[in-house]
Amino acid sequence: MPAPKVPVSRSDAHSWLITGPLLLLGALLSLPILLSDGDTSRPGDNQVGYALILLVLATLATPMALRFDIRRQALVTRMDDIPVILALFYLSPWLAVGVRVIAGLIWNILGARLTPHKLAFNAASHFAGIATANLIVFEFGLGSGGSPGTWLVLAAAVFAGNVVALSAIAGVMVLLQGVGQLPYFLRSSLAGFAVIGVNIVLGLVMLLTLQASKWGSLLLIALAIVLGVLYRSYAQFFRQHRSLTEMYALTRDIAATNHDGTLPDVLLARVRALLAADSATLWLPEYGRHHEVLLSARFDYPGLLDSATTPDLFRQLAMRTGNTVVAGPKSGPPELQSALQEARVKDVIVVPLRSSGVAIGTLEVAGRLGDKVVFGKDDVQLLETLSVQAGAAVENSRLVDRLQFDANHDALTGLANRRRMLEALGEAMTGRGPREVVAVLLFDVIALREVNDSLGHDAGDQVLIQVARRLRDLAPQGALVARVGGDEFAVELRTASADAAVAVADTLRAGLRDRMVIDTLTVDVDTNVGVSIYPDHGTEPEALLQRAIVATYVAKSRGIVQMFNAGLQSRSVRRVGLAADLEAALNTGELEVYFQPKVALQDRRLVGVECLARWEHPVHGQVAPPDFVSVAEHTGQLSRLNGVVLREGIRRAREWADAGRSLTVAVNISVRTLNDADFPLQVAELLDEHGVPADRIILELSEEELLRSGRGIPALRRLRDLGVQLSVDDFGAGRSSFADLSRLPVQEVKIDRTFVQGMATGASDLAIVRTVVDMARHFGLAVVAEGVESELTLGLLEDMHCDMGQGFLFSRALPYERFESWLQVQADADPTVVPAGEVRWLRAVP
């Protein structure tokens, strides 16, 4: 992209390249008159007297001007065309040249105090212009003052002289500033030509009046005074009209750009042009999440600069006092004037920007264009008026920015939200490289609900904030971190392959596992992580994110970073369809309770059963327990599911007791069930309803959930006081210790099946099981080994003096009728060979 074209800026000394040719042009145009033998005299007996009067009139008319600022230069249209018309009619060519040039020099030296370069240029311009007018009058001649031909010649002469002068100004402007400013100059000249036409008409009216009567000069003097006042009023009106037009344009542009980030560009460009300043600056100090803003528009640069010519002292003073600060060559306190001199700035206006009465920044202009022109009171009032609109626009822009930020970010963590994540996914899909994949890593914070229940929602919020901070710090550069659900965070990134995405997910998950300190408490946090990639797993952002969520659900049961695959999707879709069917199954009794025996290992005696829910779906067939338990958990039906199993278990316990078999009944429940304060009462009512002793019921809770229960501990104690036994299921799979369990009212631990199944072939698993059995005996806890599937394993457990065993070696979980058959087979054993009640696992029902 080409760099912006910076306007040409040369010093005024180069104006001699135009001044010299102008002087030569004036001399050449005067040469025909000088060499002529004809009469060049004008009517009037006293040429010198006329010359002095017209010199005074021309000098007085010169200050009455309309000014058009064009960058550093100015186009000025004056009333001196009126005395020029009279001079061309009454004076000889040489006196007319003298009056025109001398009147201009008097004003330029005494009034405008121009530099030598500009003084010489103006003198040459006046000389060339009056020489052009003299030549036209000389060539076409003049009749009486009342002749239309005379009017036409004088009008053409004055018009031609102004064309030469304007051409000279255009030449200087192109030379010093470049051709880019020429179109603006030509547009501004149109108003000047209109004023020249008015001046010509007024000059001719004065000429006719003087021709009619010498006493008409008195009327002309009065008319000149009135015209001077009108001219000044018109000039003021013209400036006010221009200011109002610019202000309207500024207001319109601010409204149009307030939402697209171009507000500073439009605001500063308009302000700089409106006040004819060398620079205009917007300064906004750092505020909240908004960084400091310092932008300047300069006359010699087409864009915005991140620096300012205004000394810092001015804006700090304006912010501290809340008042406008103005300083110039002859105004302002000495320290401000000194600061201007050090910064080499001619003059400065700094106005505070306000919002709700509070200063939020400053709007500044510095360096009034023009060597002898400075900022005045009108400029101060104008900038103060503009600051009101600018302050409102800045505040509105910040409000819009805040609304846009809030619409795309999470209020608690400050991360991008789901909407922004989907947008970023779409952008990444479009802009990915040919060898890149776009990955979505979804992190589901484990047991956040338990943190909320046990420590309060403030603690849960702090966990989410720390998780967000860690993800943001650990994520690769260029990745987007978002909170897409209550306890779900997503990371979007472009990477080389699916394996690389999984590696990043592993790294992030490991970083999140570090313990978090919430107030004075230490909290262990873990996450389930699912990964999906584009284009393999979806071509739409919503689909890609949804499939990462599906992978996360599967990761919960596997404890690994799970990559999405098509098989997971079919399972997830199936689960969604099962939600409504599960409710119907709970209402109609479709769910069946199976029973798996628990055997005392020392005497092979049946001591209890574990109740397990099974669901035969009319369409899908046998539904795996993890599937429908997950559905129940996410649809709020888990308590009903636990209740169905518990009721059936207590009912069967009563029947077995009536048949002379005192068996314990174990039922798995969720910690969420314990959050229901009425649950212990419901258990007590079921026990009373069926007349079952409380110690016949064992409620099993997973190790991970039990240690995070928090608010569930009072319910556990009420159940213990009731006489219900409590068991820790899958012990060893988590990170708890017996010291942790000592704080809980439990009587039993069940060793996780993975260690039991591996103890016959793995020394480490054997050591873990042996340690658990020994430690449990030390703490007075009963031990149940799950997953007993071989005679070797059984022998090892017996040698360790493990209390109970459960597994396929004895029997798999069976429906009630088949379990009764299994019991009958065991009870019918020959008492002379096998003691009564001993479980002969070789005769177990398959």
Side-chain angles (χ1 to χ4, degrees):
M1 181 177 178
K5 186 177 180 180
V6 178
V8 178
S9 180
R10 299 189 179 95
S11 68
D12 294 342
H14 290 82
S15 62
W16 283 103
L17 296 175
I18 301 296
T19 302
L22 276 178
L23 291 172
L24 180 60
L25 176 63
L28 291 176
L29 293 176
S30 300
L31 192 60
I33 302 175
L34 180 64
L35 299 178
S36 173
D37 295 333
D39 184 13
T40 59
S41 61
R42 297 288 189 268
D45 300 331
N46 188 358
Q47 289 281 302
V48 176
Y50 279 121
L52 292 176
I53 294 173
L54 291 175
L55 178 61
V56 172
L57 291 176
T59 304
L60 294 176
T62 300
M64 301 178 186
L66 289 178
R67 179 185 179 92
F68 303 91
D69 292 302
I70 305 171
R71 300 186 68 240
R72 284 193 178 277
Q73 309 302 323
L75 169 63
V76 180
T77 303
R78 306 181 183 277
M79 284 189 65
D80 51 9
D81 292 323
I82 296 175
V84 167
I85 288 178
L86 299 178
L88 289 173
F89 185 80
Y90 285 107
L91 301 181
S92 65
W94 315 118
L95 286 177
V97 170
V99 167
R100 183 71 180 94
V101 174
I102 293 173
L105 288 174
I106 292 174
W107 169 249
N108 290 335
I109 294 174
L110 301 179
R113 297 187 295 275
L114 300 180
T115 62
H117 303 300
K118 291 186 177 181
L119 187 65
F121 171 78
N122 284 345
S125 177
H126 294 327
F127 175 50
I130 193 66
T132 302
N134 276 332
L135 181 61
I136 291 175
V137 170
F138 173 75
E139 291 293 337
F140 292 96
L142 296 175
S144 64
S147 169
T150 301
W151 303 346
L152 185 59
V153 171
L154 290 174
V158 172
F159 185 82
N162 278 284
V163 170
V164 171
L166 290 173
S167 299
I169 295 174
V172 168
M173 192 160 296
V174 171
L175 177 66
L176 301 184
Q177 301 178 5
V179 73
Q181 299 301 316
L182 188 59
Y184 182 74
F185 170 81
L186 295 177
R187 289 194 300 270
S188 301
S189 301
L190 296 178
F193 280 111
V195 175
I196 291 170
V198 173
N199 289 342
I200 291 173
V201 173
L202 292 176
L204 293 175
V205 170
M206 289 186 176
L207 177 61
L208 288 173
T209 304
L210 290 174
Q211 288 290 296
S213 171
K214 300 298 183 183
W215 292 103
S217 58
L218 298 176
L219 297 176
L220 291 179
I221 293 174
L223 179 61
I225 296 173
V226 172
L227 287 176
V229 173
L230 292 176
Y231 212 97
R232 181 176 294 274
S233 298
Y234 175 75
Q236 183 178 2
F237 167 78
F238 184 81
R239 288 194 300 271
Q240 291 176 346
H241 175 74
R242 178 173 172 267
S243 298
L244 289 174
T245 302
E246 290 288 344
M247 288 181 63
Y248 170 76
L250 175 62
T251 304
R252 180 192 60 204
D253 291 346
I254 285 177
T257 61
N258 204 25
H259 307 296
D260 59 7
T262 60
L263 173 63
D265 304 74
V266 173
L267 173 65
L268 295 178
R270 290 283 189 181
V271 169
R272 192 208 64 77
L274 187 56
L275 278 85
D278 180 74
S279 67
T281 301
L282 175 67
W283 177 66
L284 302 172
E286 184 177 358
Y287 173 73
R289 65 180 181 82
H290 296 283
H291 299 293
E292 180 184 20
V293 174
L294 180 64
L295 296 172
S296 294
R298 297 287 300 272
F299 81 96
D300 54 357
Y301 192 81
L304 294 182
L305 300 173
D306 58 357
S307 60
T309 57
T310 309
D312 289 337
L313 175 63
F314 285 77
R315 61 178 64 97
Q316 298 300 336
L317 180 60
M319 288 291 289
R320 186 173 66 253
T321 62
N323 298 321
T324 300
V325 178
V326 183
K330 296 182 180 180
S331 62
E335 62 271 16
L336 296 184
Q337 292 187 8
S338 176
L340 286 179
Q341 292 176 0
E342 292 179 4
R344 297 182 179 181
V345 179
K346 183 174 62 174
D347 49 357
V348 166
I349 305 175
V350 178
V351 178
L353 296 179
R354 299 183 182 278
S355 175
S356 302
V358 178
I360 61 172
T362 59
L363 184 62
E364 312 162 10
V365 290
R368 178 67 163 84
L369 295 178
D371 294 335
K372 303 302 179 181
V373 185
V374 295
F375 293 122
K377 292 182 179 180
D378 292 342
D379 297 314
V380 173
Q381 293 176 356
L382 179 58
L383 188 60
E384 288 177 341
T385 302
L386 293 175
S387 71
V388 175
Q389 298 184 26
V394 168
E395 187 61 21
N396 289 338
S397 179
R398 283 184 170 179
L399 176 61
V400 170
D401 179 60
R402 184 164 62 249
L403 292 175
Q404 290 176 340
F405 182 87
D406 292 344
N408 290 286
H409 291 79
D410 174 56
L412 176 64
T413 63
L415 296 178
N417 58 15
R418 184 186 184 94
R419 172 183 175 183
R420 178 64 192 121
M421 168 58 71
L422 294 176
E423 291 178 353
L425 274 175
E427 295 166 1
M429 290 175 178
T430 304
R432 75 180 181 101
R435 296 183 180 180
E436 288 182 328
V437 298
V438 179
V440 178
L441 319 179
L442 191 81
F443 296 80
D444 180 28
V445 180
I446 298 175
L448 181 65
R449 177 177 294 182
E450 283 71 21
V451 173
N452 288 331
D453 293 341
S454 59
L455 303 178
H457 286 279
D458 289 342
D461 289 345
Q462 289 301 315
V463 169
L464 292 174
I465 291 171
Q466 290 201 34
V467 169
R469 184 181 300 117
R470 289 185 183 182
L471 278 177
R472 193 161 41 209
D473 294 341
L474 295 170
Q477 186 175 7
L480 176 70
V481 182
R483 182 185 178 199
V484 295
D487 54 1
E488 294 176 333
F489 296 84
V491 177
E492 172 270 317
L493 72 157
R494 286 186 284 186
T495 186
S497 64
D499 292 339
V502 172
V504 173
D506 279 323
T507 302
L508 296 181
R509 186 188 184 199
L512 292 174
R513 281 177 174 167
D514 293 340
R515 291 190 170 187
M516 297 180 181
V517 178
I518 307 298
D519 293 332
T520 59
L521 300 175
T522 300
V523 179
D524 292 325
V525 173
D526 200 358
T527 55
N528 300 311
V529 188
V531 180
S532 63
I533 60 172
Y534 168 83
D536 296 354
H537 301 150
T539 57
E540 295 295 332
E542 187 71 48
L544 203 62
L545 181 58
Q546 182 60 37
R547 284 162 187 175
I549 295 174
V550 170
T552 305
Y553 287 152
V554 178
K556 290 182 181 181
S557 60
R558 299 184 180 179
I560 61 173
V561 174
Q562 178 66 53
M563 175 67 72
F564 175 82
N565 60 64
L568 302 183
Q569 177 69 12
S570 60
R571 184 179 181 187
S572 174
V573 171
R574 184 186 178 200
R575 282 186 178 181
V576 173
L578 290 176
D581 296 338
L582 177 61
E583 183 176 6
L586 290 171
N587 292 332
T588 60
E590 280 185 25
L591 262 74
E592 189 174 1
V593 177
Y594 279 39
F595 304 91
Q596 187 173 28
K598 293 171 63 176
V599 177
L601 299 185
Q602 295 306 314
D603 55 8
R604 307 283 183 89
R605 182 170 49 86
L606 179 66
V607 294
V609 295
E610 180 179 1
C611 301
L612 301 167
R614 294 293 184 265
W615 183 17
E616 184 74 22
H617 193 278
V619 176
H620 300 295
Q622 190 72 39
V623 181
D627 285 348
F628 67 77
V629 170
S630 177
V631 170
E633 183 178 6
H634 286 88
T635 57
Q637 301 182 84
L638 188 59
S639 295
R640 289 192 62 196
L641 177 61
N642 289 335
V644 167
V645 179
L646 182 60
R647 177 178 290 275
E648 179 66 10
I650 292 176
R651 187 171 72 89
R652 296 303 182 184
R654 177 71 268 168
E655 293 178 358
W656 290 321
D658 293 342
R661 299 189 184 102
S662 297
L663 302 178
T664 61
V665 175
V667 177
N668 283 284
I669 65 171
S670 169
V671 169
R672 296 184 182 183
T673 304
L674 296 179
N675 292 335
D676 183 359
D678 295 332
F679 179 69
L681 180 60
Q682 295 170 4
V683 174
E685 290 175 349
L686 284 173
L687 292 173
D688 290 342
E689 178 184 347
H690 295 280
V692 175
D695 60 359
R696 290 290 181 266
I697 303 302
I698 302 175
L699 299 181
E700 297 182 359
L701 297 98
S702 71
E703 173 192 4
E704 191 76 15
E705 285 190 328
L706 188 59
L707 292 177
R708 294 178 180 272
S709 61
R711 286 174 56 187
I713 293 179
L716 290 176
R717 289 173 178 164
R718 290 174 60 191
L719 290 168
R720 179 199 61 187
D721 295 341
L722 187 64
V724 174
Q725 298 186 65
L726 302 173
S727 176
V728 181
D729 197 12
D730 300 329
F731 186 77
R735 290 174 288 174
S736 61
S737 65
F738 278 98
D740 295 323
L741 294 183
S742 66
R743 297 183 282 106
L744 300 174
V746 298
Q747 294 83 33
E748 179 185 274
V749 294
K750 298 185 72 172
I751 305 174
D752 186 78
R753 69 179 65 250
T754 56
F755 301 117
V756 176
Q757 291 171 349
M759 60 184 289
T761 56
S764 60
D765 289 338
L766 178 62
I768 290 173
V769 174
R770 189 183 303 278
T771 301
V772 171
V773 172
D774 292 341
M775 292 296 294
R777 185 179 301 109
H778 176 76
F779 280 91
L781 300 175
V783 181
V784 179
E786 290 190 286
V788 180
E789 298 181 357
S790 69
E791 186 175 358
L792 179 59
T793 300
L794 177 62
L796 292 172
L797 291 170
E798 288 177 338
D799 293 341
M800 297 176 190
H801 301 287
C802 180
D803 298 310
M804 287 167 281
Q806 181 180 339
F808 289 174
L809 183 63
F810 306 116
S811 175
R812 68 181 68 247
L814 301 170
Y816 177 73
E817 291 78 9
R818 295 185 65 190
F819 182 74
E820 282 292 314
S821 299
W822 181 87
L823 280 177
Q824 188 64 40
V825 169
Q826 308 307 318
D828 291 343
D830 186 354
T832 62
V833 180
V834 182
E838 181 178 326
V839 176
R840 301 194 306 177
W841 46 268
L842 290 177
R843 298 180 62 185
V845 178

